[in-house]
Amino acid sequence: MSLFDDSPRPRRRRGAPRGAPVRRGSAPERERSDGAAPPGDATVSVAELTDRIDRALKGFGRVAVMGEVSRPKKVASGHLFFTLKDDRAALDVKIWRSGVERALAGVGGRLEEGARVVCHGSLDVYAPYGKHSLVADRVEARGIGALLADLERLKTQLRSEGLFDRKRPLPARPRTVGVVTSRDADAWRDFMRTRTLRWPGYPVRLAHSRVQGRAAAAEIARAIRALDASGVDVVVVCRGGGAIEDLWCFNEEPVARAVFDCSVPVVTGVGHESDTTLVDFVADHRAHTPTDAAQTVIPERAQLAERLERAGAYLTESMERALERRAEALERLGRSRALVRPTELVDERELRLDGLARRAAAALDARGAALGTRLERASGDLSRLSPHARLSALDERLGALGGRLASSVARDLERTDERVGRVTRGLARGAREAREAAERRVDVLERALGAVSPLAVLDRGYSITRRADGGEVVDDPAALGAGDRLTTIVRGGSFDSVVEAVRPPEASADPSDGEAAAVEDGA
């Protein structure tokens, strides 16, 4: 039975053993084993069935199908073939040579991988292969493919989180290499073939996972985490080449985050050299192919053996040279005078000691003489600096300073007396001048006061009249009434009077008449 066979499985007879063969159909059906068709079934050939399918597809007429372009290829004959796909299905599309230029006018004359387009045309069946396809005569652009747009958004997000910045060094000779791939894939066989060529039997641990399909991303992430927990020194994620949709599981976020969370360095070898997936940016090292990944993580045994052999040769040569130098040094020491004639060395040492003794005695004598000279000089300095000598010098200096001080004090006193005299005379002269100025000012103020004094006005014949009770000056006759008592001040004194009558201003033209009428009795 084929893997993709959708026919129902025959049921096992009840009571039949599990290993017994299962018979298809009933007894009458088994009797018709000569090839005759069962009743009610019309037997047709493959060509006839294909013709029916072709006619049925042509019954759709013109269709417009939207999807993403995958694997566009223009063959030598000039025809253009590509696959139109979405996340659930794929459809082969072909454009005949005569209509390629006209059909691609809506997309700028060329198709890009992952571009989202709408293809207009009719369905067709290619009988030799039994495959249906869309014969397109017009292609319209619909922007970048949804998958590539999602990939760009995810790539921007992971870059902002710093998942692309970490690049750890790979171990030179890892103890165990972990590989995440499918055990049935060519990538695993290429990896193991390269291991055999570089170092047969090198420790490699496989974590089997699907590397294509919807569930592949989750399996790859689990495999990476399992290898990380098993204690490998480096993890390799690899897969052979293919279309972009075949490699899409390596563009999924779970795989990228599993690579970043891995505690050991991760090497990717996905697709061919021109293929770049999301995990290539997150991994610590990107290999172009699975073979290149194996060459990156598995050391070459022959090269290491050659390096060891070369290092052993260098070490042997270095040891031989060191031994030769030691032998030559030992031979020179054997020919040295210290071993051949040691008494000469003793004689030389004795002569040298005698010379040193003579030099030491001469140095001691010179040192003693120098110290004696310094002692005499210090004694002279000490006598000059004795307390008696210093006291005598200080007494002489004190006497001289006392005479100078007396003379200076006398001169200062004389100058002080002269300054006091000058100041006293200046003060007396200033006091006299101030007194004279004050007297002159008093005279001026006295004359000014006399000029404005009311008494001076009375001397000229004027008088001042006040109310006898309150002392207010009367300057308006209208304010008086008959019977009011007044006091009048004149030059010689004052007198009291009583108001008999008050006249308006025009009636009092003659002051003498008014005054005679106003006065009743003098005091």
Side-chain angles (χ1 to χ4, degrees), residues 48 114 116 157 170 180 188-189 321 336 348 354 378 457:
E48 291 174 346
R116 195 168 184 82
Q157 175 188 347
L170 303 180
V180 177
W188 172 243
R189 289 188 287 272
R321 290 180 180 177
S336 64
E348 289 181 359
D354 292 340
V457 177

Side-chain angles (χ1 to χ4, degrees), residues 89-103:
L91 175 66
D92 290 336
V93 182
K94 52 191 175 183
I95 303 175
W96 303 128
R97 176 182 58 188
S98 58
V100 169
E101 184 176 356
R102 182 175 64 258

Side-chain angles (χ1 to χ4, degrees), residues 299-428:
E300 189 173 1
R301 183 175 182 179
Q303 182 180 4
L304 183 60
E306 181 182 355
R307 290 179 58 188
L308 290 175
E309 183 179 0
R310 186 165 59 252
Y314 290 157
L315 180 60
T316 302
E317 182 180 0
S318 178
M319 292 178 64
E320 290 177 354
R321 290 180 180 177
L323 290 175
E324 290 178 358
R325 289 194 297 271
R326 296 297 188 276
E328 293 176 358
L330 183 60
E331 186 178 357
R332 286 195 301 272
L333 290 174
R335 294 194 304 268
S336 64
R337 189 176 56 176
L339 297 178
V340 176
R341 294 184 297 279
T343 56
E344 293 183 0
L345 292 177
V346 175
D347 295 339
E348 289 181 359
R349 296 297 186 273
E350 289 180 353
L351 292 175
R352 186 177 180 186
L353 286 175
D354 292 340
L356 291 175
R358 289 192 298 272
R359 289 174 59 187
L364 288 174
D365 293 340
R367 184 66 174 172
L371 290 176
T373 304
R374 289 183 61 187
L375 184 59
E376 291 178 359
R377 189 181 302 112
S379 178
D381 295 339
L382 184 60
S383 61
R384 286 193 303 272
L385 297 176
S386 63
H388 295 291
R390 294 190 65 185
L391 286 175
S392 299
L394 291 176
D395 287 340
E396 293 178 359
R397 187 177 180 187
L398 184 58
L401 291 176
R404 292 172 58 187
L405 179 60
S407 301
S408 177
V409 168
R411 288 194 299 272
D412 290 341
L413 289 175
E414 291 177 358
R415 286 196 294 268
T416 301
D417 291 340
E418 292 177 358
R419 291 180 62 187
V420 169
R422 288 197 299 270
V423 171
T424 303
R425 290 191 295 272
L427 290 175

